[in-house]
Amino acid sequence: MHCSSLQRYFCGTCGCHVFQREQSSIGGDEGADGLWAVATGIIIGRAGTGAEANGEPVEDHDENNNPPLLRYARHVGTDSNGDGGLSLFIEAVGESREFEEHGQERETSSSTISEVKGNGGNILHAHCHCGTVRFHITRPDASSRIPHSGFPDLITPFAISPQEEITNLRGEKWWLRPVGHPNPTKYMAGTCASRSCRLTSGFEIQTWAFVPRSNIFFLPASGSTIMSLSAPMPLDFQTLPPGTLKSYESSTGVLREFCPRCGATVFWHDRWRPGIVDVSVGLLAASEGARAEQWLDWWYGRVSFEEDAGNGRVGEAASWARKLMGGLAEGLRRWEDRRNCDGPREG
């Protein structure tokens, strides 16, 4: 019988994924040590590469005419996530316009492009790979309007926006969707390319849903016998049982949580907006697919911190990362155009 084992290696302090190792029970081309993969988010540049001169872009090949350090080749795993996930947003990276798909045809049905019908129920379950982290979120309610939050970089780019615009002086509840609707049914979600998200996840793109803490309820870990978690409990980072989440302060006042066992990115939150928590979309177990479109309203106008993609990188790695984020931003805009052409969206 042919089977394979998969091991993931991540930093136990910040949760950053580093390697993946796959070993086959019958051997194979990868050899006895298995097939290793590196999370691209940790790659800084080719060994010996210096900083770019005067901020000018560098060529994709080094001076010795070696092949590109990084190349976007294909989408993988799209057969297991129900709706293609982010692959539908990334149609081009630099000069690359066609990607090989593994597990899903590139053509999408009209049901994928149009809003998925139905309300998806009133509870959306979420969990990490190993089951240590389990929680659910509920639909927006009266408590969802209580928090105050400045606008995220996703909506208002911090680098070019005046402070009074960022602070949201009018108190708009931007995380509730549709905007201004008396009975919102969804939460905003978006993509992020910040250096801190990249280095605490190991990956180029992090997806976040902005959910009030009052709408997040924790569940006992898979196989847990802890009686205090026999029923869902409102999320309180101070009272969760030890070992449920591991926290890392990525900058002053900013905390990130991940699963201490499998390394899954779980939450982002800070001391300035304690009532709103960024939830890692990859954990949501929506029946319609990875984008959870019955629950989330995706922001297409910007990749958060897109200009940060090459920060801390040099040479080809920096150039490639900027091209990738440019391709994602372009794909998001095209996706929004398609949805608008498909007809009005339901809330």
Side-chain angles (χ1 to χ4, degrees):
M1 179 180 177
H2 177 207
C3 61
S4 61
S5 64
L6 194 67
Q7 292 177 300
R8 301 178 188 274
Y9 298 80
F10 61 92
C11 174
T13 299
C14 70
C16 178
H17 283 248
V18 182
F19 299 118
Q20 175 180 284
R21 181 188 186 190
E22 184 175 6
Q23 288 183 293
S24 172
S25 61
I26 60 173
D29 295 337
E30 66 269 22
D33 198 37
L35 180 65
W36 288 80
V38 180
T40 63
I42 68 169
I43 297 175
I44 297 173
R46 194 184 294 272
T49 301
E52 297 176 310
N54 302 319
E56 294 296 321
V58 297
E59 298 296 326
D60 281 343
H61 298 263
D62 68 2
E63 59 184 9
N64 297 317
N65 202 34
N66 289 321
L69 176 65
L70 294 166
R71 180 174 66 89
Y72 205 109
R74 66 174 182 164
H75 301 298
V76 299
T78 55
D79 57 341
S80 64
N81 61 33
D83 58 10
L86 294 187
S87 71
L88 303 181
F89 297 155
I90 305 176
E91 299 178 339
V93 176
E95 301 301 318
S96 301
R97 291 279 160 180
E98 297 293 335
F99 300 125
E100 177 186 353
E101 291 265 341
H102 175 72
Q104 178 170 306
E105 295 297 324
R106 193 63 197 159
E107 289 295 321
T108 58
S109 67
S110 58
S111 63
T112 304
I113 295 178
S114 61
E115 188 70 25
V116 180
K117 304 301 181 183
N119 63 14
N122 293 316
I123 291 178
L124 177 58
H125 291 280
H127 60 84
C128 66
H129 189 274
C130 69
T132 297
V133 176
R134 297 174 65 240
F135 61 95
H136 70 240
I137 65 175
T138 58
R139 294 285 180 185
D141 54 25
S143 71
S144 309
R145 298 181 180 275
I146 296 175
H148 173 81
S149 171
F151 289 111
D153 182 85
L154 185 69
I155 299 175
T156 307
F158 293 167
I160 61 174
S161 302
Q163 187 62 31
E164 58 269 22
E165 186 176 337
I166 296 172
T167 53
N168 185 15
L169 295 177
R170 295 191 298 177
E172 295 182 32
K173 308 304 180 183
W174 52 264
W175 54 91
L176 300 178
R177 320 298 282 185
V179 175
H181 196 282
N183 297 300
T185 59
K186 299 182 181 182
Y187 302 108
M188 176 184 279
T191 54
C192 184
S194 73
R195 182 174 185 266
S196 56
C197 279
R198 173 169 60 84
L199 293 180
T200 51
S201 71
F203 305 108
E204 306 292 337
I205 305 166
Q206 172 64 45
T207 54
W208 295 116
F210 304 94
V211 182
R213 189 161 57 89
S214 62
N215 295 103
I216 304 173
F217 296 83
F218 249 76
L219 300 164
S222 180
S224 172
T225 58
I226 301 176
M227 294 304 294
S228 62
L229 276 180
S230 59
M233 58 183 294
L235 174 60
D236 183 342
F237 292 106
Q238 303 303 317
T239 61
L240 285 175
T244 303
L245 288 173
K246 187 161 186 180
S247 293
Y248 173 69
E249 189 173 24
S250 57
S251 59
T252 303
V254 175
L255 290 169
R256 298 169 182 271
E257 276 76 31
F258 63 96
C259 173
R261 184 180 179 193
C262 69
T265 299
V266 184
F267 299 128
W268 181 105
H269 60 110
D270 68 20
R271 68 185 184 192
W272 297 278
R273 55 165 220 199
I276 302 294
V277 177
D278 295 9
V279 177
S280 186
V281 175
L283 275 62
L284 303 180
S287 59
E288 67 271 23
R291 294 194 305 277
E293 290 186 305
Q294 293 183 16
W295 281 81
L296 305 180
D297 183 32
W298 288 83
W299 186 262
Y300 301 106
R302 170 173 165 78
V303 177
S304 185
F305 294 101
E306 177 184 348
E307 62 280 356
D308 212 20
N311 187 6
R313 298 168 131 171
V314 296
E316 301 167 66
S319 178
W320 177 83
R322 287 192 290 266
K323 289 178 180 178
L324 173 60
M325 291 310 143
L328 173 59
E330 178 186 354
L332 286 167
R333 288 189 290 269
R334 290 184 176 183
W335 186 255
E336 182 178 30
D337 290 342
R338 292 174 189 168
R339 292 177 71 97
N340 290 337
C341 290
D342 197 59
R345 298 171 61 187
E346 295 183 359

